[in-house]
Amino acid sequence: METKSSLQVDRKTFIRVSALAGVGIVFGANFFQSCESKKEKKIDLSKLNYNDFNAYIKISNKGMVTIYSPNPEIGQGVKTAMPMIIAEELDVPWEHVLVAQADLDPNNFKRQVAGGSQSIRKSWMPLREVGATAKQMLINAAAIKWGVDASECTAEKGIIKNKKGDELGYGDVVLDAAKLEVPTKVILKDPKDFKLIGKEKRNVDIDKIISGEPLFGMDYKEDGMLYAAIIHPPAFGQKLIDFDAKEAKQIKGVEDVVEVDGNIAVLATSTWLAFKGKKAVKANWSTNQTFDGTKEIDEKLNNLLTENKGTLVREDGSVKEGFLNADSVIEKTYEAPFLPHNTMEPMNFFAHVTPEKIHLRGPIQAPQDAVRRVAKMLNRKESDITLEMCRIGGGFGRRLYNDYIIEAVLISEKVKKPVKLVYQREDDMTAGIYRPQVKYQFKAGVKKGRLVAYQLKEAAINAGINESRANFFPAGSVENYRVETSPLKSSITTGAWRAPISNFLGFAEQSFFDELAEEMNIDPVQLRLDLLAKAKKNKSNRMQYSPERMEGVIKDVVQKSGWGKKENVYQGFSAYYSHNSHVAQVAEVELQDEKPVVTKIYCVVDCGIVVNPMGAITQAEGGIIDGFGHAMYGEMLIDKGVPQSKNFHQYNLIRIHQVPKIEVSFVKSNEAPTGLGEPTLPPVAAAVANAIKAATGERIRKQPFVNSGNII
Amino acid sequence: MSITLIINKKKHTVDVDEDTPLLWVLRDTLNLVGTKFGCGIEQCGACTVHINGDAMRSCTLPVSLLKNAEITTIEGLSDDNSHPVQVAWKEIDVPQCGYCQSGQIMTASALVNKNNNPSNDEIKQAMKGNICRCATYKRIEEAVYVAAKLTQEKA
């Protein structure tokens, strides 16, 4: 095969070229683009090295199929579920599929992000089309070989058949298929014909995980690499004045100590020596200013709620008049603390910056953003940067922020060596991008037993209720409805934390509905159903949730939990829509020695088609336990800019003996899949708090619940 | 200092400072990276290994104390993922992100190796030192039961 590195080829030529590599065929290189637009894009042949070119499907002559999973795997199961979607439409036995993690390649994959529970939802159709297109090309090749019309052929389990009963395996025709035109239209399966989607499939990395194989960024090393540890300012807002590294440099194995963008990096021949070197560095930090802490922010948030200077997000009717005309008005405020993400794998990243290229590798949720930022920061071309993804030891939003990648890159650039930056737990917990301390204030007006006015005020660092969020329930069900937000500026860094905003708004709103039901003297479930009935009549394009689907999960959880029919068991109800999915939950509390103990949580989820029930159920359970654990115990206090919890001896993450029974079920559906990594988390805290109220009469409006004094 | 360690039934001689925790000798010196770094203060259990059959945290355990100890890491639990705990972990499909799971498996295997009929309380007592941030706790509990049952069948 003759190639010139400058040669530009079109899609058809590319397919031919890659087939001639002789190993098999790469499908999918341009399928996404062909799905997205009809415009033919050129491919630079110099990049078409068969071995490292990322496409979705590679079929060997023997019929084995490699499917590349495009998105970061942070424990949400997409490395199993996304390839399942391709394999379904390609129609190959799952046992013949090998799954590989794709590297960052925005030219061939779109939205390589782990965030917002959107991987499956956004890639549902494109991944199916990739699989179906490849299948059609294989059928076409077989039809030509047999001299029959392709419409007379079918393919199943990697075998193509014709009317006469002849059979060819995908591997037998893969090279011929490569020479064919890419069909522009393919027929997708009817969901009722799915054979793989909806079946329980194990995590594709299970064998490697249980044998301890190197899968994670933390496990990566290469020759000549130095380990880097980092010292950040002890308080948010503090600045480095100077440092003395003499003692640190005397430790054998500590190679260098450098300043990097206001932080100090210690480089050594092992992780342990880098950590040891850190301890020996003496640094001076600025102290001539006052720094925010939990208390100061608490006061500022209270002021924001009383000042009435919030930004209007949505108003229907007039809440002012609604409250004036109401028979009764109730107002309640709910509050939550800062939360660190605490991924089990501490932040780490490998970077090797050379004048020719930049190589990056490690755990990351938003790789393309990292490449853009690094290119801009170092004034380099994005094409000079390669980024390899690996399995990730938890994300929860923390690894959407590429601060630690920037640090690794700057360190490597400074010392001119390959470097792996490793955070200690203390660095991870104290210099985090926290879920912001937040307050939500609700006000409702009731007239003749009907909710007539409803107002939500948000006050938080980087407050984030936007228009889309304001269109969630109960928008559309109350004639006078208002949402406003008051953002606060602070040097404490905050950001997305699993189910951003919803993670606490779900608690606040669904607790408030319980209080409102009490005020209105109505069953809390009935209150929601009445409002949903009203919402059905007021549908508009901007309504984000489906009243019908919400009603569906509510009725289901009521039935499964025996709502209101149990003795000596106190129940709390909650339902919340987030990440395009509808979830309803009932928590149960029993009194033991007169103290409330959460014994069981029922959960019904409508997330459309469940691609992999095995991964889905554990995802849902994990979200519930995560939401429960953080509501019960999670709290990061900050004093004068200094985070007060530094490691797990000062921070309570839920442990196995604190977990109640959980029963999750999914609504059977033929609708396209929606989010699942996050939606079971937001409702759980309110279900629990509402059950505690039922059991004890005590209303908890502040997280964590353990601080309310009556909880075990 | 030079020290000889017995890890997964093989002898390894390493030259490290005597205060170096076993975790970092395993990971950085011997490339046995299945044992994970989580907190460095014995709070999360990600670094759990077996020392003479007992589950112990390797992140604070200086290698100088381990001269004649039999050390087992996740890599040495079995040659082919056949330890009942590994079999159960696969059967139940426990992991989400997977990072804490070698530590969970090492704690669970130390338990079932000694007690093949643990009660619910015994399981929770044994496993509560291991944090799973993805909260796979329901699956862990179930898998330990299955592992104990498999161990009984083997005995």
Side-chain angles (χ1 to χ4, degrees):
Chain A
M1 184 177 70
E2 238 183 65
T3 59
K4 284 180 191 163
S5 63
S6 60
L7 185 65
Q8 301 282 308
V9 293
D10 64 19
R11 183 175 60 199
K12 210 167 90 186
T13 319
F14 156 62
I15 296 286
R16 196 170 297 137
V17 167
S18 61
L20 288 170
V23 186
I25 173 171
V26 177
F27 279 112
N30 283 11
F31 289 167
F32 262 7
Q33 283 148 3
S34 63
C35 298
E36 297 274 297
S37 94
K38 294 283 168 237
K39 211 174 122 194
E40 200 82 331
K41 292 200 179 161
K42 299 283 182 190
I43 297 170
D44 181 354
L45 197 64
S46 65
K47 286 184 191 156
L48 274 187
N49 180 334
Y50 182 79
N51 294 320
D52 63 14
F53 189 80
N54 296 312
Y56 290 90
I57 303 168
K58 192 158 84 175
I59 299 177
S60 81
N61 300 9
K62 303 217 184 270
M64 283 303 283
V65 180
T66 302
I67 299 180
Y68 288 91
S69 182
N71 285 18
E73 172 60 65
I74 55 174
Q76 82 281 44
V78 294
K79 193 173 173 185
T80 307
M82 293 180 95
M84 277 175 77
I85 298 170
I86 294 177
E88 173 71 63
E89 293 287 354
L90 180 61
D91 226 322
V92 282
W94 187 240
E95 304 72 51
H96 293 181
V97 174
L98 298 169
V99 171
Q101 175 68 56
D103 295 335
L104 176 67
D105 184 355
N107 292 326
N108 290 294
F109 302 117
K110 69 168 190 175
R111 201 187 177 275
Q112 290 184 285
V113 173
S117 298
Q118 295 299 306
S119 294
I120 298 293
R121 178 174 169 256
K122 295 220 161 147
S123 297
W124 173 242
M125 290 306 282
L127 291 178
R128 291 177 68 193
E129 281 165 13
V130 163
T133 305
K135 178 181 167 180
Q136 190 58 54
M137 288 173 77
L138 292 158
I139 290 176
N140 292 351
I144 292 167
K145 215 167 191 172
W146 286 321
V148 300
D149 197 89
S151 63
E152 294 173 22
C153 306
T154 56
E156 202 180 3
K157 295 181 183 167
I159 308 281
I160 306 154
K161 290 179 186 171
N162 65 20
K163 274 185 174 173
K164 283 192 285 178
D166 300 327
E167 289 188 4
L168 282 167
Y170 284 180
D172 301 329
V173 292
V174 67
L175 291 177
D176 295 329
K179 294 166 194 160
L180 301 176
E181 288 273 358
V182 178
T184 49
K185 261 192 175 177
V186 288
I187 298 164
L188 300 179
K189 285 184 179 176
D190 187 317
K192 73 173 167 43
D193 298 326
F194 285 160
K195 289 186 283 250
L196 182 59
I197 289 171
K199 295 281 184 311
E200 295 201 327
K201 292 297 160 201
R202 289 194 174 77
N203 187 327
V204 290
D205 285 335
I206 185 73
D207 288 326
K208 290 177 181 166
I209 292 170
I210 62 175
S211 57
E213 282 187 40
L215 280 170
F216 299 91
M218 191 63 101
D219 304 337
Y220 182 69
K221 63 178 72 169
E222 61 178 55
D223 288 345
M225 177 187 95
L226 287 178
Y227 295 85
I230 194 144
I231 307 171
H232 296 122
F236 286 99
Q238 221 166 16
K239 300 268 181 286
L240 179 65
I241 298 170
D242 55 25
F243 66 93
D244 174 1
K246 209 186 295 165
E247 216 179 291
K249 283 183 178 170
Q250 278 166 5
I251 298 170
K252 201 181 147 211
V254 172
E255 303 275 298
D256 210 347
V257 181
V258 294
E259 188 198 328
V260 182
D261 199 22
N263 304 304
I264 305 161
V266 178
L267 293 118
T269 52
S270 80
T271 320
W272 172 247
L273 289 169
F275 290 172
K276 230 172 141 176
K278 240 174 99 174
K279 272 196 207 158
V281 174
K282 292 181 185 73
N284 289 310
W285 309 96
S286 65
T287 50
N288 58 347
Q289 60 194 109
T290 50
F291 303 114
D292 267 350
T294 307
K295 267 188 204 162
E296 293 77 15
I297 288 176
D298 190 68
E299 277 169 30
K300 287 179 188 175
L301 296 180
N302 280 339
N303 291 339
L304 285 175
L305 289 176
T306 49
E307 275 170 3
N308 278 326
K309 284 185 191 161
T311 309
L312 178 66
V313 186
R314 169 170 171 168
E315 179 152 27
D316 303 350
S318 161
V319 285
K320 206 175 162 190
E321 280 184 27
F323 293 137
L324 272 175
N325 297 328
D327 301 331
S328 64
V329 173
I330 72 164
E331 185 182 290
K332 305 287 174 194
T333 302
Y334 305 82
E335 48 196 301
F338 289 109
L339 292 182
H341 297 83
N342 285 330
T343 61
M344 284 312 291
E345 181 187 14
M347 296 309 113
N348 68 85
F349 224 78
F350 171 85
H352 191 192
V353 180
T354 64
E356 294 76 37
K357 64 182 183 70
I358 297 172
H359 184 59
L360 306 173
R361 192 183 194 284
I364 186 165
Q365 286 182 252
Q368 200 178 351
D369 169 70
V371 166
R372 283 191 192 128
R373 281 176 64 184
V374 169
K376 201 172 167 199
M377 180 176 72
L378 300 183
N379 198 20
R380 300 280 291 261
K381 279 189 259 168
E382 282 181 34
S383 55
D384 288 349
I385 305 171
T386 48
L387 192 148
E388 275 182 82
M389 292 193 276
C390 48
R391 193 171 184 88
I392 300 167
F396 312 102
R398 176 62 184 88
R399 293 189 231 262
L400 288 168
Y401 303 93
N402 289 319
D403 50 324
Y404 57 101
I405 290 126
I406 300 289
E407 288 171 355
V409 165
L410 288 174
I411 296 167
S412 173
E413 196 210 16
K414 195 146 198 171
V415 301
K416 298 186 170 40
K417 283 194 174 138
V419 158
K420 188 171 82 175
L421 171 67
V422 178
Y423 277 27
Q424 288 184 273
R425 177 59 59 190
E426 291 79 1
D427 308 316
D428 211 280
M429 207 179 280
T430 60
I433 314 271
Y434 302 132
R435 191 278 301 273
Q437 190 177 343
V438 55
K439 289 182 196 248
Y440 289 121
Q441 188 185 74
F442 292 85
K443 192 173 174 183
V446 178
K447 191 174 185 179
K448 292 179 186 161
R450 227 168 46 81
L451 177 64
V452 292
Y454 181 95
Q455 176 179 278
L456 161 61
K457 283 186 181 179
E458 174 188 57
I461 297 171
N462 293 334
I465 292 187
N466 54 17
E467 210 188 322
S468 152
R469 181 74 52 146
N471 297 340
F472 285 17
F473 183 79
S477 68
V478 194
E479 56 264 43
N480 302 301
Y481 173 88
R482 183 183 168 94
V483 177
E484 62 178 63
T485 178
S486 298
L488 178 68
K489 283 212 163 99
S490 170
S491 52
I492 299 168
T493 45
T494 62
W497 190 102
R498 194 179 195 175
I501 303 167
S502 303
N503 55 41
F504 186 65
L505 183 54
F507 165 73
E509 176 197 291
Q510 290 298 306
S511 297
F512 183 66
F513 271 102
D514 214 59
E515 301 211 52
L516 191 56
E518 200 180 332
E519 171 78 19
M520 295 166 74
N521 199 20
I522 178 176
D523 176 83
V525 172
Q526 196 55 49
L527 171 62
R528 267 78 154 200
L529 292 175
D530 291 348
L531 290 168
L532 288 168
K534 214 171 158 200
K536 279 188 207 170
K537 292 179 196 152
N538 280 328
K539 273 193 190 166
S540 70
N541 289 340
R542 59 179 178 166
M543 184 176 275
Q544 292 284 312
Y545 62 103
S546 154
E548 290 83 4
R549 293 175 85 170
M550 188 55 98
E551 197 179 78
V553 290
I554 291 175
K555 287 185 172 166
D556 212 359
V557 86
V558 158
Q559 193 258 326
K560 288 204 161 67
S561 66
W563 171 255
K565 289 178 187 160
K566 290 187 177 171
E567 278 182 31
N568 300 323
V569 173
Y570 302 89
Q571 293 180 315
F573 173 82
S574 175
Y576 200 74
Y577 163 88
S578 74
H579 306 88
N580 311 92
S581 291
H582 299 76
V583 180
Q585 294 172 350
V586 169
E588 292 186 345
V589 161
E590 290 175 36
L591 291 174
Q592 293 174 10
D593 299 327
E594 292 176 18
K595 291 206 169 200
V597 179
V598 181
T599 49
K600 185 156 184 178
I601 295 166
Y602 293 88
C603 175
V604 176
V605 184
D606 183 350
C607 60
I609 290 168
V610 176
V611 175
N612 179 13
M614 201 164 200
I617 194 126
T618 185
Q619 207 55 225
E621 285 173 357
I624 292 165
I625 300 170
D626 192 5
F628 174 65
H630 280 91
M632 290 289 285
Y633 315 108
E635 179 174 46
M636 172 60 88
L637 296 171
I638 297 176
D639 185 26
K640 297 186 181 69
V642 181
Q644 297 299 292
S645 301
K646 310 221 184 289
N647 203 327
F648 291 133
H649 63 307
Q650 296 163 330
Y651 192 92
N652 286 329
L653 274 177
I654 192 165
R655 290 169 186 267
I656 195 166
H657 61 293
Q658 296 161 320
V659 177
K661 289 180 183 155
I662 295 172
E663 194 178 309
V664 176
S665 59
F666 293 91
V667 170
K668 280 207 175 88
S669 171
N670 275 336
E671 299 286 331
T674 52
L676 190 57
E678 295 164 281
T680 63
L681 187 148
V684 67
V688 168
N690 295 342
I692 291 171
K693 169 68 171 59
T696 66
E698 187 190 353
R699 172 60 63 187
I700 305 173
R701 299 192 187 91
K702 190 174 178 178
Q703 291 184 2
F705 298 171
V706 279
N707 291 350
S708 76
N710 193 27
I711 311 285
I712 48 174
Chain B
M1 67 167 221
S2 176
I3 181 170
T4 300
L5 300 166
I6 308 159
I7 302 166
N8 302 332
K9 300 199 167 86
K10 270 188 218 154
K11 282 188 178 174
H12 296 268
T13 303
V14 295
D15 187 14
V16 292
D17 292 354
E18 60 179 26
D19 64 346
T20 310
L22 173 63
L23 171 68
W24 298 111
V25 174
L26 293 173
R27 291 187 56 83
D28 290 351
T29 315
L30 299 172
N31 282 333
L32 291 166
V33 294
T35 309
K36 294 294 190 264
F37 169 54
C39 69
I41 59 162
E42 302 177 39
Q43 289 290 314
C44 75
C47 67
T48 305
V49 297
H50 296 175
I51 306 291
N52 299 326
D54 290 327
M56 289 187 79
R57 310 293 185 234
S58 65
C59 66
T60 51
L61 197 59
V63 279
S64 53
L65 300 178
L66 297 170
K67 267 171 203 160
N68 296 310
E70 257 193 52
I71 302 163
T72 308
T73 69
I74 183 90
E75 291 90 347
L77 197 57
S78 71
D79 295 332
D80 49 2
N81 284 348
S82 61
H83 188 282
V85 170
Q86 289 170 310
V87 173
W89 242 249
K90 182 172 179 174
E91 169 68 27
I92 306 293
D93 197 37
V94 174
Q96 284 186 34
C97 85
Y99 190 80
C100 76
Q101 298 293 344
S102 1
Q104 305 276 1
I105 289 169
M106 293 312 281
T107 302
S109 53
L111 171 70
V112 300
N113 286 350
K114 286 175 194 165
N115 175 2
N116 66 15
N117 191 19
S119 67
N120 193 291
D121 274 355
E122 283 170 329
I123 292 175
K124 288 186 173 171
Q125 203 54 38
M127 300 307 300
K128 77 178 194 186
N130 288 68
I131 296 173
C132 174
R133 177 66 183 83
C134 302
T136 59
Y137 296 125
K138 301 312 281 180
R139 307 242 143 192
I140 289 171
E141 199 181 326
E142 205 181 329
V144 178
Y145 269 120
V146 171
K149 221 176 151 201
L150 291 171
T151 312
Q152 285 168 30
E153 284 165 12
K154 256 189 170 178

